[in-house]
Amino acid sequence: MSDTTPAPPAAWPLVALFTAGYVAPYLLPTVVGRLDAHLPLSPAQAGLVGTALLLGSATAGFTLASRIPRRGPRPLARLGLLLAVLGYGTAASTTLLPLVVAGVVVGGFGSGSATAVAAAGIAGHRDPHRMSSLGLLSVSATAGALYLTLPHLGGGHGLPFAAIALVAALAWPATGRLGGAIRPGPAAARSSGRPPYPRAGAVLAGCLLLWSLTQEALWGVSGRIGTEQAGLSEATLGVVFAVALGAGLLGVAGASAFGTRLGRAVPIGAGTAAIAGCVVLTASADGLAAFAAGEVLWNAVYPVVLSYVIGLAAALDPRGRWAVFAGAASSLGTACGPVAGSLLAEAFGLPGMGLVLGGLLLAVAGPLTAVAVHAGRGPAAAATATATATAGEPVLRGEVAAPAPGPGTGPAADAPVRVRRTPRRILLLTPTAARTRRAAAKERL
């Protein structure tokens, strides 16, 4: 019996897909800024276009979460990259608002599809935390290079969209290393309907929605805080953001090197509490020192916590369904973040907005930590999740022939051979084959 278990994908294709999917949200500030500056859109309308991009990405995650194991990662990844190239390419090549908005939505769905496939693959990897850290490191470096390069390439609204489409096109060769559609066995089909740990997964997705909302709410008004409240010039503000992005790269590199020596609960809980403090500090800053400290510390800690959250979602379901759902919930929260930040700033002022967002982060830190503790109680939990996710598809497959019967062996030779090690599959001889083998043994004697 041949082995039909698909081999786990290599690391670099998943990192490439992760980068192609996440680069659009990372470039959202410059996308929205150029839409406002070069198209007949108000700042609020340009922000709504960015929200439409993120909503398209979230829709892809919720739509594809249960389809990736059945359809296979390669066709869905190629479909996502194709939609990203077509959508963002259309938005970059025209100034007609309906076509720009349609291209943004289609491109966002493509980005979300690539992210969903990458999240599912990372969840099935032997070390999902390291994989997520590499993905965040790659997308941070790519976004940083684009932030430094795009201002020198000219104006126009289409340049950021063209850059995102180019990243998606460059990721296309990586899809050749992904698996195609597979036909699961009956037990696997039964187990694929509902992810394990439904309560913990739902709590994780809901908390991550609010967690991402707070990050994007602050990011959406960070420029306003720096210029209006801290009194910084546009050039100084750009330097602060560049240093903050560099701190994010160092944070992700440190998280990848340190790994899970402290588990996931401590980095997620303590890191979320630290982010809450950075949010309050940034929102209340009235000078360069306080604003720069808040932004740099926040951008250093945020990707670190996110890498552990991605690893936590992978631990709940090695098939990657909770990782995809959590990523879609994060995109949904990110989409609502700018609107929430603007409304809170108008209602309570910038410092009051920071207090509300910090309190919300502290409120979700407890449930996130509880889910991390639940998922990391011991090897039994991980083994149960793995067994549930791979029911009907043992990791080890083999062929064990029945032993040749000796002289005088009666009908018991036709009895099935029982092997208690469940990962193996036993290939039994048919009665006709057993009789033929006994006859051959007698002739040899």
Side-chain angles (χ1 to χ4, degrees), residues 203-298:
V203 171
L204 174 62
C207 289
L208 190 56
L209 187 153
L210 298 175
W211 189 87
S212 298
L213 184 148
T214 58
Q215 316 294 324
E216 196 63 29
L218 178 63
W219 182 247
V221 297
S222 288
R224 181 179 167 188
I225 295 172
T227 56
E228 296 181 7
Q229 186 170 280
L232 306 181
S233 65
E234 185 177 357
T236 305
L237 188 65
V239 172
V240 171
F241 286 156
V243 174
L245 188 59
L249 290 173
L250 293 177
V252 174
S256 177
F258 193 76
T260 56
R261 292 182 178 87
L262 295 178
R264 297 186 182 93
V266 172
I268 290 176
T272 301
I275 292 174
C278 294
V279 168
V280 174
L281 175 61
T282 301
S284 60
D286 56 1
L288 173 60
F291 180 77
E295 285 285 337
V296 171
L297 291 176
W298 171 43

Side-chain angles (χ1 to χ4, degrees), residues 43-236:
Q45 291 171 335
L48 287 177
V49 175
T51 298
L53 187 155
L54 295 172
L55 287 176
S57 180
T59 301
F62 287 122
T63 302
L64 300 179
S66 61
R67 290 175 170 81
I68 295 174
R70 183 169 63 252
R71 302 291 183 183
R74 184 192 302 147
L76 293 179
R78 287 179 172 175
L79 175 62
L81 294 178
L82 180 61
L83 291 177
V85 172
L86 291 178
Y88 295 127
T90 300
S93 61
T94 182
T95 57
L96 295 176
L97 284 179
L99 287 180
V100 171
V101 174
V104 165
V105 173
V106 172
F109 191 92
S111 294
S113 301
T115 302
V117 174
I122 289 173
H125 202 268
R126 289 186 297 271
D127 191 353
H129 172 73
R130 178 176 176 273
M131 288 297 300
S132 61
S133 298
L134 289 176
L136 288 170
L137 188 63
S138 175
V139 71
S140 298
T142 302
L146 291 176
Y147 269 117
L148 294 175
T149 304
L150 292 179
H152 302 287
L153 298 180
H157 79 284
L159 200 56
F161 290 125
I164 300 171
L166 178 61
V167 173
L170 292 176
W172 182 272
T175 60
R177 299 293 299 274
L178 302 175
I182 59 174
R183 180 178 297 178
R190 289 193 299 268
S191 68
S192 61
R194 183 182 182 184
Y197 304 113
R199 292 182 180 177
V203 171
L204 174 62
C207 289
L208 190 56
L209 187 153
L210 298 175
W211 189 87
S212 298
L213 184 148
T214 58
Q215 316 294 324
E216 196 63 29
L218 178 63
W219 182 247
V221 297
S222 288
R224 181 179 167 188
I225 295 172
T227 56
E228 296 181 7
Q229 186 170 280
L232 306 181
S233 65
E234 185 177 357
T236 305

